[in-house]
Amino acid sequence: MKLYAISIPQTLPSWATVVSNNAGLIEVEINDEDPSFHSIIEELSTEIEPGVVGVKAGDLCQILSIEMVDTSEQN
């Protein structure tokens, strides 16, 4: 799994790696098979809509102190 961010903390968890940092866009790759990552996913899991359980990307980024790129912004 990959996240695209405009800011990240200096230290990321062992399951997150910066792949590239070009023109202020930081690509972070998540090792979604890491047990530590699974622990965080279990902690953040909520019912997103009736019958659908998952994790909101915004919640994951908030716990990691990552500022995501907002693709819904219009230039």
Side-chain angles (χ1 to χ4, degrees):
M1 170 172 55
K2 291 185 181 181
L3 298 174
Y4 295 91
I6 53 176
S7 70
I8 61 172
Q10 282 189 322
T11 305
L12 290 172
S14 60
W15 43 264
T17 306
V18 174
V19 176
S20 66
N21 186 352
N22 294 317
L25 182 64
I26 305 163
E27 181 179 5
V28 180
E29 187 164 14
I30 305 292
N31 176 1
D32 56 5
E33 295 181 12
D34 189 290
S36 297
F37 178 71
H38 283 273
S39 295
I40 290 197
I41 294 299
E42 288 175 14
E43 178 183 325
L44 294 174
S45 291
T46 60
E47 189 171 38
I48 296 172
E49 59 182 59
V52 178
V53 176
V55 175
K56 295 178 182 175
D59 293 344
L60 179 60
C61 289
Q62 183 178 8
I63 203 167
L64 295 174
S65 299
I66 292 175
E67 187 177 349
M68 280 185 7
V69 173
D70 186 356
T71 57
S72 66
E73 286 184 10
Q74 294 185 10
N75 295 330

